[in-house]
Amino acid sequence: METKTSILNASEQKRLRRYYYCTKLAGAALGASLISGFYMLFLVFVDDVFLGNETPYVLGFCVGIGMMLLFVIAFLFMLLASRFGMAGKKYEAILKKVEAHQKKLDDEYFAAGLGGQMAGGLIESTSDSEGGKKVGKAIEAISSAFLLFLSLKLLRGMSEDVAEVMRSAGMEIPRTKKFSTGIIVSSILIVLIVFIPELVDTCQTNRRNEAACSATWHSLDDYFRARDIRVSGYPPEDNRGFQPRLSVYPYDEVGDKDSCISINVSDSGRIESVDYYVYLDENKEKEENVRKMKDMLPDMCQTVSQAVQAGNLSVTDPRLFEVEDDLLDEFIQQFNARSYYDGPFDAHKIDAYADYYVNISIWTYKENEDDENHTLSICYYTSCLNPRTED
């Protein structure tokens, strides 16, 4: 008995298999795009947030986004190739040979989905209000989801249609599960292969930074303790989640237990900012308080500078241990022109190129303050987050 397979030549059988593979593997390509994108974002989150890497991983972004685009292009190509191919005369000829009928495919709503996207984009770009822009974005999102649903439904319909034709022709239905799984697994493996070296490098860098930060902190702590200078703070290994900081009180012996120096150590072990606190006496004349500022601030700077030089420590900018005389004079002019109770004020200087910042500020209180323990103080704050000198 002659089977219907003999009616189709090799080219026609190959065409049916191609349509079937395209309708099946297109969904796998779309899934690989979404899954690889999810893994890329997850690994970027781990690298940036969990491991604290502040440097963008450009290679990972390029490979991840490029792979997503590649899979999307493959999905669109297989979808369109199958759809237009199955609407052609050659496929109709195959249907006549095997005495089969093509099912009606639900693709008439694609125009509505595309129109919704265009309308949403137009509303978002032309609206002057935030509400209008949000509505436009919502319409775009809904239209995109609708188009995705229609695409998957169309692929399923075409796959079932081709499978029915192949069965009518007596052909064996190809197995595509292994191919689909291979596409998705390969996309995940590529993302992992690209990102795992970066994650390992970030972990190693973090360990080196932790060791350098701990060494800097302990060097400062040992230096001041050896000179019987009171210090307070927690070592980096006991201070998770906070920037390591060491507070130094160099004037305990002269009765000033409040004036202090706060040294901030970066995660990489560099000293990146120093706060110099000078506590004033609101019961004394301003001239005496000004004299204390001018005497104590340079002495504090020298104290920290000597500790840094003794330990050969890394700093982001040597100006962290210098007093900006012009800035201090500007602050003193404001200080002399005000009473102790006029409210807080400051003077500052910024070097945007080096990301260097200096600020002098003062805390004052109202004359009728009930708290008997309140104090009047100034803070000379220096910071440089962008290193100007290299080790």
Side-chain angles (χ1 to χ4, degrees):
M1 180 178 179
E2 185 181 13
T3 65
K4 293 185 178 180
T5 305
S6 62
I7 302 176
L8 301 180
N9 56 42
S11 176
E12 291 170 332
Q13 294 182 39
K14 184 178 180 181
R15 181 178 295 276
L16 286 178
R17 293 191 185 94
R18 183 168 67 247
Y19 290 157
Y20 186 79
Y21 276 116
C22 284
T23 55
K24 286 293 187 180
L25 299 184
L30 180 61
S33 175
L34 297 175
I35 292 174
S36 62
F38 169 79
Y39 271 87
M40 180 191 72
L41 293 177
F42 174 74
L43 293 175
V44 167
F45 173 82
V46 171
D47 191 41
D48 293 353
V49 178
F50 185 72
L51 297 179
N53 186 5
E54 297 179 355
T55 304
Y57 186 38
V58 179
L59 176 62
F61 271 111
C62 293
V63 172
I65 293 175
M67 190 164 57
M68 288 178 64
L69 290 175
L70 181 64
F71 281 124
V72 169
I73 292 172
F75 163 74
L76 293 175
F77 174 79
M78 288 186 284
L79 172 66
L80 296 176
S82 302
R83 181 65 188 93
F84 288 111
M86 292 173 67
K89 294 182 178 180
K90 292 182 178 180
Y91 187 70
E92 291 182 359
I94 294 175
L95 293 177
K96 291 180 179 179
K97 281 187 177 182
V98 299
E99 299 178 355
H101 299 283
Q102 186 175 13
K103 297 178 182 179
K104 180 176 177 59
L105 300 176
D106 298 328
D107 58 358
E108 62 270 17
Y109 298 109
F110 271 89
L114 293 173
Q117 277 199 321
M118 294 176 63
L122 182 62
I123 293 173
E124 182 182 0
S125 61
T126 58
S127 178
D128 296 330
S129 64
E130 287 297 323
K133 293 183 182 296
K134 290 181 180 179
V135 169
K137 290 181 180 179
I139 294 176
E140 282 187 291
I142 294 173
S143 300
S144 298
F146 183 61
L147 284 173
L148 179 61
F149 170 75
L150 289 178
S151 299
L152 295 176
K153 186 177 181 182
L154 178 62
L155 282 172
R156 181 178 179 179
M158 290 191 298
S159 174
E160 293 175 350
D161 191 59
V162 175
E164 182 65 27
V165 172
M166 294 177 74
R167 280 190 288 267
S168 299
M171 295 174 58
E172 182 180 357
I173 306 298
R175 296 182 178 181
T176 60
K177 187 175 182 179
K178 290 183 178 180
F179 291 103
S180 300
T181 304
I183 291 173
I184 295 175
V185 171
S186 64
S187 68
I188 297 174
L189 289 177
I190 292 173
V191 173
L192 293 177
I193 289 171
V194 172
F195 271 91
I196 284 178
E198 170 69 7
L199 298 178
V200 172
D201 181 68
T202 300
C203 291
Q204 293 175 343
T205 301
N206 287 344
R207 284 196 291 268
R208 289 194 297 268
N209 288 342
E210 288 173 3
C213 181
S214 179
T216 298
W217 193 94
H218 284 288
S219 175
L220 292 169
D221 184 67
D222 294 342
Y223 175 87
F224 292 115
R225 289 184 185 275
R227 288 156 179 78
D228 294 326
I229 298 176
R230 182 166 64 97
V231 296
S232 66
Y234 296 96
E237 54 268 24
D238 298 334
N239 198 26
R240 302 296 182 183
F242 301 95
Q243 183 180 28
R245 173 179 297 188
L246 183 69
S247 296
V248 184
Y249 300 85
Y251 303 108
D252 273 5
E253 293 184 357
V254 296
D256 188 347
K257 298 183 179 295
D258 294 317
S259 295
C260 66
I261 307 166
S262 183
I263 306 171
N264 302 296
V265 183
S266 71
D267 293 337
S268 61
R270 289 180 181 270
I271 297 174
E272 65 179 13
S273 68
V274 184
D275 302 345
Y276 303 91
Y277 294 95
V278 179
Y279 280 78
L280 308 178
D281 190 343
E282 59 185 357
N283 296 316
K284 294 182 178 180
E285 296 294 330
K286 286 189 175 181
E287 291 76 8
E288 190 171 348
N289 283 323
V290 168
R291 191 181 309 114
K292 185 177 183 180
M293 293 182 213
K294 289 186 174 181
D295 293 343
M296 193 172 285
L297 285 175
D299 185 64
M300 286 179 164
C301 290
Q302 186 178 11
T303 299
V304 181
S305 179
Q306 290 173 349
V308 170
Q309 292 175 6
N312 193 26
L313 304 179
S314 177
V315 300
T316 54
D317 196 299
R319 290 177 292 180
L320 298 178
F321 319 123
E322 300 174 358
V323 178
E324 298 281 351
D325 293 329
D326 55 342
L327 189 65
L328 182 58
D329 291 340
E330 177 187 342
F331 176 81
I332 290 174
Q333 289 179 5
Q334 296 185 61
F335 179 78
N336 288 329
R338 297 166 174 258
S339 76
Y340 289 140
Y341 309 102
D342 282 346
F345 60 91
D346 70 345
H348 59 269
K349 177 181 179 180
I350 299 175
D351 181 353
Y353 174 75
D355 203 5
Y356 172 72
Y357 176 73
V358 182
N359 179 77
I360 309 178
S361 56
I362 188 169
W363 287 271
T364 61
Y365 301 85
K366 296 179 181 180
E367 285 185 289
N368 60 355
E369 184 72 43
D370 294 330
D371 184 6
E372 296 179 356
N373 297 318
H374 76 268
T375 54
L376 178 71
S377 65
I378 68 166
C379 174
Y380 184 87
Y381 169 76
T382 62
S383 171
C384 180
L385 303 181
N386 180 26
R388 292 183 57 182
T389 57
E390 299 295 334
D391 295 334

